[in-house]
């Protein structure tokens, strides 16, 4: 059971990392255009994106 | 005069020496369009960013400061086959976007907490039936508290705030029982954990928030999408005005950049985008969008012109009185105010449900506590059971019952070309049992069409069409369009207020007023000319012809009226136009009830009369004169071509030429209301089953969690049925 001392914080840390990643992706505008993002993934040749959209 | 285009109003500085503009684009549907536009715009030198947003149908552009005129982007998009226009985010839309992001953040936090608390709960549940030590269980409970308490404090904000607002106003809404339930469940769980108890409800409380936030987010997203589309449509109308920036220097500027006191130029064939007073010039103006009257009015010095009127024959200089804010005919403004004040606060289905729900649930919980105490249980056990009742009654199915249906139904309506302006429009639309149509611009299309093309010899018709290309007059435009002519006659001269003439092979051609073509004798002799048509004459030397032009009915108007009758809906026409015109439309559509020459006040009186008889009136209208009655009706709809004021007053807006969306909206909303009620009954039925279990005190956190997710998923799946409701109307 001592293993819990390592495993529980580790599990929580991973969860928090996921949450942080989600909040970051939301902030950087990745949820602004879900339809377009779906198509971009399968587009033949992406036109060069020169900059990130800033909002 | 020199004419320039000026879009500086829309350009923002983006930092690093870059400038930014957002364009609304029409006709972007797929990945192909997206790549084509991005490639096409990136090819312009000095453009640093061209990114299409396929969801909102917009393009964001950035370029090096001072190197480009934004007009170039619009021209480039036009070459690629897309209509575009600069777009400015309205404060209403910006607020919706911010709110929807906030909800998504809350949802992320709540979902993270739910998953991690569940991860700790499952060992506790399985450990309770095997060999878990009390210390280990307490440790897991404390960990759950550590995750759930801050997460609930953050993610519960939307509910806590709204509940607080309701309580401050001494009312109750759905968020009050939700907040009480969540706070009590968390508080009790902490107390239980301190006392080394076997059960804690952290998982149930945070899961409840997650499910409810899903419902909230869907609801919010529906509103946001509607706003985005409406914003695009408004932008693509490209409302510009030609403003004098010097004694004889003019510039085309967006209406947003026009201020009272500016002088604008109004040329023939242009729609006026501002309210103002004529200071120079004479012309006929078409005010059908203001009054429903299809005959042209004359405008001269000192007369007011209103946004939305079409200038027909002469050039006018107009001093702007209040741009982009409708300074209306005083009477309409007054009536509209009254109608908006009298608009009885409609009780939404959700609020009505929560009015019943909250007292019943809280009373049940209270009686449970009292009952157990009387039965000899300890206070502590009685309170634990009481809180279990609050948790198991699960407002989450109720909280999801209505937003999920609204989301699915509004998505389906969206596909049939209907936009929702207000959240409870669906419920009110479903109740409508009597439809009042305005005629001009609602049953008919705003554009004119030629009635008697068949009576004109083909070669003459073609000549008339080519000659018509040289005129700005809307009637001439209708002639040109009907003939399909593309090459104007060289050397054609327009005589303002009379017509156009040209010489071809030594014969003079004239198109215009019958007097201008010396063809008055033909009027009435034709016999088949319809009452409400405008007449224009064409002469080739001594050959003379009469062309008659009128506003055509929407292509499917007949079928729509028949479909409405089949749905047992009463139908009538109330129009500000003259009697012959209204009568002809009513006969063509087989509508028995109609009134002509109706003032805005009459329309309201008629709606009130119907309401007193218990009818739920749906008003469909587009003119400025319809705005008060749109507000007075139980529910209202207007076409996208409507006057600004009417569009913002109406509950629903429909796009395109057909009238079919009216029927689609009724069908979808009836189906949706049916499903909302069904969902509420599902939620209530579930509670009837679950509450006795809770009262008897055998609810464990495991049962609560399973029951909660079960009922929520059931309600969501049922909502998906709102998608297929409307039959195609031929």
């Amino acid at each position: 059971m001592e293993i819990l001392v390592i495993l529980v914080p580790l599990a929580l840390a991973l969860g928090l990392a996921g949450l942080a990643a989600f909040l970051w992706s939301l902030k950087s505008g990745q949820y602004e255009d879900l339809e377009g993002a779906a198509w971009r993934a399968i587009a033949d040749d992406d036109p060069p994106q020169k900059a990130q959209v800033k909002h | 005069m020199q004419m320039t285009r000026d879009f500086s109003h829309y350009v923002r500085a983006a930092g690093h020496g870059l400038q930014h503009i957002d364009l609304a684009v029409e006709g972007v549907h797929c990945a192909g369009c997206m790549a084509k536009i991005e490639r096409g715009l990136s090819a312009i030198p000095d453009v640093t960013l061209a990114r299409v947003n396929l969801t909102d149908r917009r393009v964001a552009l950035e370029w090096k400061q001072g190197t480009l005129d934004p007009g170039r982007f619009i021209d480039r998009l036009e070459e690629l086959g897309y209509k575009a226009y600069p777009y400015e985010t309205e404060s209403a839309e910006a607020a919706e976007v911010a709110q929807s992001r906030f909800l998504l953040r809350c949802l992320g936090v709540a979902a993270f907490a739910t998953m991690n608390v569940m991860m700790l709960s499952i060992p506790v549940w399985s450990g309770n039936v095997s060999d878990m030590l009390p210390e280990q269980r307490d440790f897991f409970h404390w960990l759950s508290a550590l995750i759930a308490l801050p997460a609930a404090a953050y993610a519960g904000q939307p509910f806590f705030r709204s509940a607080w607002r309701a309580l401050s106003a001494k009312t109750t809404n759905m968020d009050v029982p939700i907040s009480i339930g969540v706070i009590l469940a968390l508080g009790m769980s902490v107390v239980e954990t301190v006392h080394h108890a076997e059960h804690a409800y952290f998982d149930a409380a945070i899961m409840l928030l997650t499910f409810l936030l899903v419902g909230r987010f869907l609801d919010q997203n529906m509103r946001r999408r509607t706003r985005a589309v409406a914003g695009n449509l408004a932008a693509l109308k490209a409302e510009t005005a030609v403003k004098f920036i010097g004694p004889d220097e003019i510039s085309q500027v967006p209406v947003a950049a026009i201020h009272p006191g500016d002088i604008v130029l109004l040329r023939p064939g242009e729609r006026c985008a501002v309210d103002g007073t004529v200071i120079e010039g004479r012309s006929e103006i078409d005010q059908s969008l203001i009054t429903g009257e299809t005959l042209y009015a004359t405008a001269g010095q000192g007369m007011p012109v209103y946004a939305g009127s079409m200038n027909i024959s002469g050039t006018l200089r107009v001093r702007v009185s209040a741009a982009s804010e409708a300074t209306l005919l005083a009477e309409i403004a007054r009536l509209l105010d009254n109608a908006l004040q009298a608009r009885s606060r409609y009780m939404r289905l959700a609020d009505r449900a929560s009015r019943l729900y909250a007292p019943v649930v809280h009373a049940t919980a209270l009686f449970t506590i009292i009952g157990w105490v009387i039965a000899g249980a300890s206070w502590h056990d009685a309170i634990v059971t009481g809180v279990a009742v609050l948790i198991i009654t699960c407002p989450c199915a109720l909280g999801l019952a209505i937003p999920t249906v609204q989301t699915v139904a509004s998505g389906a309506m969206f596909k049939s070309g209907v936009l929702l302006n207000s959240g409870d429009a669906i419920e009110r639309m479903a109740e409508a049992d009597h439809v009042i149509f305005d005629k001009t611009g609602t049953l008919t299309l705003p554009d004119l069409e030629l009635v008697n093309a068949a009576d004109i010899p083909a070669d003459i018709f073609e000549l008339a069409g080519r000659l018509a290309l040289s005129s700005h007059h809307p009637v001439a435009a209708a002639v040109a369009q009907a003939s399909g002519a593309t090459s104007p006659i060289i050397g054609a001269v327009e005589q303002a207020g009379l017509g156009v003439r040209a010489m071809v092979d030594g014969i003079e051609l004239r198109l215009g007023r019958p007097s201008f073509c010396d063809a008055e004798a033909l009027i009435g002799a034709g016999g088949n000319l319809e009452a409400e048509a405008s007449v224009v004459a064409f002469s080739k030397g001594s050959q003379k012809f009469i062309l008659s032009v009128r506003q055509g009915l929407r292509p499917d108007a007949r079928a729509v009226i028949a479909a409405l009758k089949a749905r047992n809906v009463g139908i009538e026409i109330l129009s500000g136009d003259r009697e012959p015109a209204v009568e002809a439309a009513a006969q063509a559509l087989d509508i028995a009830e109609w009134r002509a020459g109706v003032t805005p006040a009459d329309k309201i009186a008629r709606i009130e009369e119907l309401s007193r008889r218990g009818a739920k009136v749906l008003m469909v209208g587009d003119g400025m004169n319809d705005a008060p009655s749109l507000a007075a009706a139980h529910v209202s709809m207007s076409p996208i071509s409507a006057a600004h004021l009417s569009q913002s007053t109406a509950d629903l807006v429909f796009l395109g030429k057909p009238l079919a969306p009216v029927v689609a909206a009724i069908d979808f909303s009836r189906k949706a209301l049916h499903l909302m009620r069904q969902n509420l009954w599902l939620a209530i039925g579930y509670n009837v089953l679950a509450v006795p279990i809770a009262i008897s005190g055998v609810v464990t956190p495991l049962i609560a969690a399973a029951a909660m997710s079960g009922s929520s998923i059931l309600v969501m799946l049922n909502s998906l049925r709102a998608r297929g409701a409307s039959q195609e109307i031929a």
Side-chain angles (χ1 to χ4, degrees):
Chain A
M1 278 299 158
E2 290 73 40
I3 191 73
L4 285 182
V5 179
I6 300 167
L7 282 184
V8 167
L10 189 66
L12 286 185
L14 284 174
L16 279 171
L19 179 63
F22 169 76
L23 292 177
W24 168 81
S25 67
L26 178 65
K27 205 176 160 67
S28 67
Q30 294 188 29
Y31 288 83
E32 297 300 300
D33 181 21
L34 295 174
E35 239 173 285
W39 284 109
R40 279 176 209 279
I42 56 165
D44 301 336
D45 47 340
D46 274 66
Q49 283 305 325
K50 299 173 193 172
Q52 253 302 335
V53 188
K54 292 273 193 309
H55 281 279
Chain B
M1 284 203 237
Q2 196 49 46
M3 177 87 138
T4 51
R5 270 190 312 181
D6 178 12
F7 293 122
S8 55
H9 177 80
Y10 296 102
V11 177
R12 295 200 317 261
H16 310 293
L18 296 175
Q19 284 177 303
H20 181 109
I21 196 168
D22 287 312
L23 305 180
V25 190
E26 202 173 77
V28 187
H29 299 298
C30 62
C33 304
M34 199 162 70
K36 192 161 122 190
I37 291 177
E38 289 182 358
R39 243 179 261 127
L41 291 172
S42 303
I44 301 174
D46 289 329
V47 171
T48 53
L49 168 83
R51 196 176 171 91
V52 174
N53 182 328
L54 196 59
T55 315
D56 295 342
R57 309 264 195 275
R58 290 178 195 158
V59 184
L61 284 155
E62 282 176 14
W63 66 98
K64 289 181 192 138
Q65 190 147 8
T67 51
L68 288 169
D69 167 38
R72 262 189 78 178
F73 302 130
I74 293 168
D75 298 339
R76 184 82 189 99
L77 282 165
E78 188 132 353
E79 286 165 27
L80 295 169
Y82 301 96
K83 185 179 166 199
Y85 201 76
Y87 169 83
E88 194 178 27
T89 309
E90 283 183 16
S91 57
E93 193 189 337
E96 299 282 10
V97 171
Q99 178 64 7
S100 127
R101 281 183 164 201
F102 175 63
L103 283 172
L104 204 50
R105 267 206 310 274
C106 290
L107 180 59
V109 171
F112 150 82
T114 303
M115 287 186 257
N116 283 283
V117 172
M118 270 301 158
M119 176 187 84
L120 297 165
S121 292
I122 288 179
V124 172
W125 298 337
S126 45
N128 278 343
V129 292
S130 56
D131 58 350
M132 195 176 214
L133 302 171
E135 298 79 51
Q136 286 164 348
R137 190 178 57 221
D138 286 351
F139 171 63
F140 275 55
H141 278 168
W142 278 121
L143 272 176
S144 302
L146 182 75
I147 301 165
L149 292 176
Y154 182 80
Q157 284 179 86
F159 307 100
F160 301 155
R161 280 184 198 163
S162 143
W164 182 249
R165 265 202 305 274
L167 289 176
S168 310
K170 296 198 173 51
T171 62
T172 168
N173 61 9
M174 206 68 205
D175 296 328
V176 174
I178 290 170
S179 304
I180 293 177
V182 168
I183 291 168
L184 274 179
L186 289 171
M188 179 195 81
S189 302
V190 171
V191 172
E192 290 290 271
T193 303
V194 171
H195 290 111
H196 312 290
E198 203 175 322
H199 296 308
Y201 292 90
F202 294 113
D203 44 16
I206 192 78
M207 185 158 103
L208 175 68
L209 282 179
T210 307
F211 275 126
L212 287 169
L213 280 164
V214 169
R216 279 302 139 97
F217 176 70
L218 287 175
D219 195 32
Q220 182 64 32
N221 228 25
M222 164 187 105
R223 279 206 296 269
R224 174 185 164 176
R225 191 174 51 177
T226 304
R227 282 246 187 270
V229 172
N232 274 9
L233 288 166
L236 284 162
K237 275 191 177 172
E239 292 215 316
T240 56
V242 179
K243 175 174 137 180
F244 284 90
I245 47 178
D248 57 356
E249 229 186 319
I250 49 178
S251 168
Q252 192 170 17
V253 294
V255 171
I258 295 231
H259 307 290
D262 287 348
I263 310 285
V264 297
L265 182 71
L266 198 56
R267 289 164 306 183
E270 282 184 344
R271 199 173 275 284
C272 184
V274 295
D275 295 326
T277 318
V278 178
I279 52 173
E280 194 188 320
R282 284 194 70 77
S283 174
E284 298 164 286
I285 49 175
D286 170 2
Q287 290 198 320
S288 62
L289 199 57
I290 322 290
T291 59
E293 170 69 64
T294 43
L295 280 185
Y296 299 148
T298 33
Q301 198 169 349
M303 288 183 176
V305 283
Y306 297 103
S309 32
M310 171 75 99
N311 183 24
I312 304 293
S313 48
T315 303
L316 300 172
R317 277 186 189 223
V318 176
R319 177 178 286 112
V320 180
S321 51
S324 43
E325 280 177 37
T327 54
L328 267 181
L329 307 159
E331 193 206 12
I332 290 185
R334 192 175 52 79
L335 284 169
L336 184 63
D337 279 350
N338 291 348
L340 287 171
Q341 278 164 10
R343 203 170 204 175
S344 54
R345 287 275 306 130
Y346 177 80
M347 270 292 278
R348 290 175 178 219
L349 193 56
D351 294 333
R352 273 179 292 176
S354 75
R355 245 193 203 184
L356 290 169
Y357 171 89
V360 169
V361 167
H362 291 157
T364 312
L366 195 65
F367 286 131
T368 305
I369 296 173
I370 295 168
W372 276 107
V373 170
I374 293 171
S378 69
W379 273 104
H380 166 265
D381 289 353
I383 289 172
V384 169
T385 315
V387 174
V389 169
L390 281 187
I391 295 173
I392 200 84
T393 46
C394 183
C396 54
L398 278 180
L400 288 170
I402 288 166
T404 47
V405 175
Q406 272 184 346
T407 304
V408 176
S410 73
M413 284 190 187
F414 201 77
K415 286 197 175 76
S416 347
V418 181
L419 299 176
L420 296 169
N421 259 350
S422 58
D424 55 358
I426 292 180
E427 297 165 36
R428 282 184 287 123
M429 191 77 181
E431 295 171 347
D433 55 12
H434 191 98
V435 188
I436 297 180
F437 283 104
D438 164 54
K439 179 187 78 77
T440 318
T442 304
L443 290 172
T444 61
L445 282 168
D447 326 323
L448 296 168
E449 63 172 22
L450 197 60
V451 183
N452 61 342
D455 307 344
I456 313 286
D459 57 327
I460 297 287
F461 191 29
E462 192 218 354
L463 273 178
R466 288 180 56 199
L467 186 55
L469 286 172
S470 304
S471 168
H472 288 296
H473 203 288
V475 172
V479 173
Q481 202 192 347
S483 70
T486 50
S487 53
I489 295 174
I490 310 297
V493 186
E494 180 160 21
Q495 284 180 266
L498 295 173
V500 234
R501 58 192 171 85
M503 297 294 283
V504 173
D505 307 334
I507 304 173
E508 189 182 46
L509 304 178
R510 284 183 173 218
L511 176 79
R513 289 176 178 244
S515 57
F516 176 68
C517 303
D518 200 19
E520 286 122 313
L522 284 177
I523 300 177
N528 63 346
L529 299 179
E530 304 193 27
E532 78 275 27
S534 314
V535 175
V536 50
F538 177 68
S539 63
K540 181 184 175 189
S542 60
Q543 290 177 289
K544 295 182 174 57
F545 302 89
I546 292 287
L547 302 167
S548 104
V549 173
R550 64 157 187 208
Q551 287 195 326
L553 289 170
R554 287 181 186 258
D556 60 347
R558 244 196 108 78
V560 165
I561 300 296
L564 286 173
K565 282 181 179 165
R567 283 164 182 69
N568 274 330
V569 174
I571 302 169
E572 64 183 79
I573 303 179
L574 292 183
S575 171
D577 207 356
R578 291 155 306 126
E579 196 159 313
V582 183
E583 188 176 16
Q587 273 173 354
L589 296 172
D590 196 17
I591 298 174
E593 280 271 332
W594 57 270
R595 293 176 200 200
V598 185
T599 65
D602 296 341
K603 287 193 183 190
I604 289 189
R606 175 67 185 153
I607 288 173
E608 280 171 352
E609 183 191 340
L610 285 164
S611 305
R612 271 199 302 277
R613 284 196 228 151
K616 299 267 194 272
V617 177
L618 160 63
M619 173 84 204
V620 190
D622 74 320
M624 204 91 89
N625 59 326
D626 297 312
S629 43
L630 289 172
H634 185 64
V635 60
S636 52
M637 215 168 169
S638 71
I640 194 70
S641 54
H644 273 305
L645 186 76
S646 309
Q647 241 183 75
S648 55
T649 313
D651 297 308
L652 301 99
V653 176
F654 66 94
L655 320 176
K657 280 194 173 176
L659 199 58
V662 176
V663 182
I666 289 179
D667 283 351
F668 277 124
S669 39
R670 284 182 179 182
K671 170 102 182 175
L673 185 67
H674 173 72
L675 282 170
M676 285 177 195
R677 292 206 171 120
Q678 210 172 49
N679 275 348
L680 287 176
W681 282 115
L682 274 175
I684 290 166
Y686 152 85
N687 278 333
V688 168
L689 289 176
V691 169
I693 302 174
I695 294 176
S696 61
V698 295
V699 168
T700 62
L702 171 61
I703 293 177
M708 219 187 268
S709 29
S711 66
S712 299
I713 288 166
L714 188 67
V715 165
M716 281 195 191
L717 287 177
N718 192 41
S719 303
L720 290 179
R721 295 170 44 207
R723 266 184 303 197
S726 191
Q727 302 129 7
E728 280 300 309
I729 296 171

